[in-house]
Amino acid sequence: MEIPTVSVLADEEFLPFRENTFDLVVSSLSLHWVNDLPRALEQIHYVLKPDGVFIGAMFGGDTLYELRCSLQLAETEREGGFSPHVSPFTAVSDLGHLLGRAGFNTLTVDTDEIQVNYPGMFELMEDLQGMGESNCAWNRKALLHRDTMLAAAAVYGEMYGNEDGSVPATYQIYYMIGWKYHDSQAQPAERGSATVSFGELGKINNLMSQEKKSQ
């Protein structure tokens, strides 16, 4: 049985859907292209139904740090300064705050790193171009001189190269889950309502031992 689908071309910051439309919104490795991430998250929250969930994955701040560092060092040494040549990414410390500010609750944020080895820096850049992941910064420098690129490749291999001559490229992935509020969701207990203090947690093993002996 085929599930009917509809394709819609839309801007993440201005979703063309009514409030409380979807039970689930999924985003996979696309939010790093959004110009206004807080606005996009607010739009996702807006179109979710109460008790709806957003599940997303996006590239994190340490993505391609080897390439960024190599290009910056080479360009600074050869041309007296540098401009961004890799798209900007969000820090994980900001992501939970952005999700909470958009209205999500019961948040879960996790990170993972994937390393892919390439024969050299130029093969990595060719792969990024093939994936459509070239630098999207509007203030990026149009081109780099040939000697700067060669210097960056040498820096990359010297600083990060593997024993077999290949170079690693790190992709950091953030995974996130956030729910839209509904009365049926579990709520935290009121402050001061606890009947056991954290200071008593260390006594649990003793209490369990005594209970076993009494049985």
Side-chain angles (χ1 to χ4, degrees), residues 89-163:
F89 300 103
T90 303
V92 67
S93 57
D94 297 328
L95 188 56
H97 172 71
L98 292 174
L99 288 166
R101 196 174 78 173
F104 291 100
N105 57 41
T106 319
L107 302 176
T108 301
V109 177
D110 198 4
T111 67
D112 191 16
E113 285 190 358
I114 300 172
Q115 273 199 346
V116 181
N117 293 319
Y118 291 87
M121 187 191 78
F122 294 106
E123 287 80 4
L124 164 61
M125 297 180 72
E126 182 180 3
D127 198 25
L128 292 173
Q129 187 176 20
M131 290 189 292
E133 291 292 346
S134 300
N135 182 16
C136 67
W138 67 269
N139 60 341
R140 68 186 184 276
K141 193 172 182 178
L143 56 86
L144 280 172
H145 295 100
R146 183 173 181 272
D147 60 339
T148 302
M149 294 291 290
L150 293 173
V155 170
Y156 204 136
E158 182 66 26
M159 292 184 62
Y160 306 106
N162 300 314
E163 292 183 358

Side-chain angles (χ1 to χ4, degrees), residues 31-195:
L31 287 176
H32 64 289
W33 282 103
V34 174
N35 289 319
D36 188 350
L37 183 57
R39 168 76 179 182
L41 294 175
E42 290 172 358
Q43 284 286 288
I44 293 171
H45 183 269
Y46 178 81
V47 301
L48 277 173
K49 295 178 181 179
D51 203 33
V53 62
F54 166 58
I55 301 176
M58 66 181 295
F59 287 116
D62 287 339
T63 296
L64 299 176
Y65 72 87
E66 304 97 339
L67 178 61
R68 282 183 291 171
C69 184
S70 301
L71 289 171
Q72 289 175 7
L73 289 174
E75 191 174 10
T76 299
E77 190 272 330
R78 295 302 175 98
E79 304 184 28
F82 68 88
S83 62
H85 296 287
V86 177
S87 297
F89 300 103
T90 303
V92 67
S93 57
D94 297 328
L95 188 56
H97 172 71
L98 292 174
L99 288 166
R101 196 174 78 173
F104 291 100
N105 57 41
T106 319
L107 302 176
T108 301
V109 177
D110 198 4
T111 67
D112 191 16
E113 285 190 358
I114 300 172
Q115 273 199 346
V116 181
N117 293 319
Y118 291 87
M121 187 191 78
F122 294 106
E123 287 80 4
L124 164 61
M125 297 180 72
E126 182 180 3
D127 198 25
L128 292 173
Q129 187 176 20
M131 290 189 292
E133 291 292 346
S134 300
N135 182 16
C136 67
W138 67 269
N139 60 341
R140 68 186 184 276
K141 193 172 182 178
L143 56 86
L144 280 172
H145 295 100
R146 183 173 181 272
D147 60 339
T148 302
M149 294 291 290
L150 293 173
V155 170
Y156 204 136
E158 182 66 26
M159 292 184 62
Y160 306 106
N162 300 314
E163 292 183 358
D164 62 359
S166 63
V167 296
T170 298
Y171 298 88
Q172 185 181 40
I173 313 296
Y174 297 155
Y175 301 99
M176 69 203 88
I177 301 175
W179 297 79
K180 190 170 183 177
Y181 177 79
H182 188 268
D183 291 336
S184 64
Q185 294 173 350
Q187 301 298 317
E190 294 184 7
R191 185 177 180 87
S193 63
T195 57

